[in-house]
Each structure stands twice: as C-alpha cells, then as structure tokens.
Amino acid sequence: MTVDYKKVLGKLDRPPSGPNWARFVQDGVASTTKSIVTFAKGIPPFTYSPGYAAIKDRIQLGVDRETAVKITQRSGSPKGRNQNEELVNAFFAHDETRCYPANNFIEFEKEWFRVSRDVQVPVSPLSVIREKGQFVPVFVCGWADLSLSEFQRRLLVTICEDAFLSLTDFQSSPAEYLFFPKVDNGEECVRQAEVWSRGDYRQLSEAELKEAVQIFLHSREEARKILTAERELAKEEIEYRSDEIWPTAQREMFLPDD
C-alpha cells in the first residue's frame, strides 16, 4: 500500500490526546523517535469513540447497559465493535459499585497542554459531574493494554493538571482516571477497572517536565528527518519503476513541443 507521506508528516504537527501522547514519550530520544514514527505511519483499525459516547451517555443521561451497548454497535468501524462493547460492559461493572450520579454534569471546553508555540496536546475529561458539592472531572481511556511506565503515568497526570485541573473551577476538585485493561483472571483475559484518583501519582517537577518536552520535540524532528528520507526514497522507487515500464526516451517522444 502506498504511504501518503503528506498526511503522515502532517501528523507530527497534530499530537494525539493526552494518554496517547504520554504513551509515546519515552525516557530517551531514540525510543521516543521510534514511537513517533510508528504513530505517524500507523492507521488504527478502529477507535474507542463509540464506547466513549456510550459511557458519556451513562454518566450524563443515565442510559442503561443495553442502550449503551447498542450505541457501540451502530457506529464506528465494524472491526472495533467487540472491543467497544467490552469497554462499555467493563465500565458498567465498575459503575455497579461507583454509581455515578446521572443528569448532574456541567459543560466545559476542551483544553490543551502547550508543548511549544506551534504544538499543543488536547487534554479533556470525558465528563465533569457534580458530586457532594464538588466538580469531579472523569477521564476515560479505553486501551485494552495499560503498559504506561511510572514516568509516563506521572507525565499524563502532570499534563492533565497543567491543562485542565489547574483551571479555577477544578483546582480543589477530586478527579478520576478510568482505565479498563484486560487482566488474566486465571481462566481468561477480561477487562477490569483500574482507577487513579487525583494525587495517586506525583506530578513531574518543572525540570522533569521540561526535559520530557525537550525529548519529544527533539524526537519529533528526528522522526521528520526519517519520514522525509523515506518519502524521497519512495519517489525514487516510483520513478525507477516507471522508467522500467516506459523508458524516459519514449516518454519524451510524447511531450508537447516547446
């Protein structure tokens, strides 16, 4: 399949949302560059958008499990229907004990973690609810594999604090981060809730955050060099194959006269 390098290179200037961005920032330039290249060239077979929409409708509107599952089956890629259904069922299993209050949410704007003057990472919770006199932002990530390192977890909560939780309305609020990775229970791998509360992970210091950002920015430029070189090689390969099929001399015979 031909790679659209214009689109691939464009992704370097549009980072993914907070959890995905934190996942490919490693502790060194080489490994981070590799992660960025993989991200830029990757084409996910599906997204968790239908699952997120269903979970949001449960939190904000109080829809039941059956209705939520139906939401996952009528939109998005067919390849992701089972994964989104599993995510929603895992959320409802968690909600049996958590019991999120429905119809008690507030509207909010998407916020951004500024990496540089030109690059920003989108950071927003799935929903913000009112509970016990406080606003509670609820962040949800649908990954089946939660393989974030300690550093990446601290990076994620740091950018959420910086971009969203530092806003006046949320400075003293609790917050929840919900993940539903697959866990082997001895019989099968099933999704189970992993919940982080605000303060569970220590934020990066200013110096640590600055270093993480510099690693990302340096790696991003290294990734750009790699992808640009690949694009030029692809062009040369196309020209070589064209010349084999239709030699340059023959092609020139059909060019219009000057």
Side-chain angles (χ1 to χ4, degrees):
M1 183 177 66
T2 302
V3 178
D4 184 346
Y5 280 97
K6 181 178 180 181
K7 183 178 293 185
V8 168
L9 287 163
K11 289 173 72 174
L12 299 181
D13 301 320
R14 298 188 303 276
S17 62
N20 286 294
W21 182 77
R23 182 162 59 175
F24 62 61
V25 178
Q26 311 285 327
D27 57 2
V29 171
S31 53
T32 303
T33 299
K34 182 178 180 180
S35 295
I36 294 174
V37 170
T38 300
F39 156 74
K41 295 175 70 174
I43 303 176
F46 67 93
T47 73
Y48 284 107
S49 295
Y52 294 152
I55 292 171
K56 186 174 183 178
D57 280 356
R58 158 59 194 92
I59 293 175
Q60 298 191 171
L61 305 177
V63 302
D64 59 22
R65 185 191 294 241
E66 181 180 357
T67 301
V69 168
K70 286 180 179 178
I71 292 172
T72 69
Q73 302 305 300
R74 62 175 183 238
S75 63
S77 169
K79 294 180 180 179
R81 299 280 164 81
N82 288 340
Q83 291 87 340
N84 277 278
E85 181 177 349
E86 289 174 354
L87 171 63
V88 167
N89 279 323
F91 172 81
F92 271 82
H94 167 64
D95 190 42
E96 288 177 2
T97 54
R98 176 57 177 83
C99 301
Y100 290 96
N103 299 300
N104 202 18
F105 64 95
I106 65 168
E107 299 292 343
F108 58 89
E109 298 292 331
K110 179 183 291 187
E111 299 297 336
W112 307 83
F113 172 69
R114 186 174 292 278
V115 177
S116 68
R117 184 178 60 183
D118 303 318
V119 180
Q120 300 180 90
V121 176
V123 176
S124 290
L126 181 67
S127 182
V128 177
I129 59 174
R130 294 187 186 93
E131 188 175 51
K132 298 178 181 178
Q134 294 180 302
F135 293 139
V136 183
V138 180
F139 298 85
V140 179
C141 180
W143 302 336
D145 177 22
L146 182 54
S147 56
L148 295 178
S149 67
E150 179 79 11
F151 162 76
Q152 290 169 326
R153 293 172 184 232
R154 292 177 60 204
L155 176 61
L156 175 56
V157 299
T158 300
I159 65 174
C160 289
E161 290 282 347
D162 181 276
F164 194 89
L165 297 176
S166 62
L167 298 176
T168 302
D169 288 340
F170 309 115
Q171 287 180 1
S172 60
S173 297
E176 295 180 10
Y177 300 82
L178 305 184
F179 300 88
F180 299 92
K182 286 190 174 182
V183 178
D184 189 347
N185 64 9
E187 297 179 359
E188 59 179 340
C189 289
V190 296
R191 286 181 179 262
Q192 294 183 7
E194 180 173 324
V195 183
W196 306 351
S197 297
R198 190 176 188 179
D200 281 354
Y201 287 96
R202 182 168 51 89
Q203 293 183 56
L204 297 178
S205 67
E206 184 177 346
E208 289 172 325
L209 180 59
K210 183 177 180 180
E211 181 180 5
V213 166
Q214 290 304 312
I215 286 174
F216 168 75
L217 291 174
H218 189 175
S219 301
R220 173 171 164 264
E221 292 312 309
E222 290 299 309
R224 192 185 306 278
K225 292 176 185 177
I226 291 170
L227 294 169
T228 300
E230 285 186 8
R231 180 185 62 185
E232 296 309 310
L233 283 174
K235 284 182 181 179
E236 291 176 6
E237 179 67 18
I238 291 172
E239 291 173 359
Y240 175 76
R241 290 179 179 176
S242 298
D243 218 35
E244 279 190 324
I245 298 171
W246 195 256
T248 303
Q250 290 183 320
R251 292 203 307 270
E252 289 176 347
M253 290 173 59
F254 296 94
L255 293 175
D257 294 335
D258 293 335

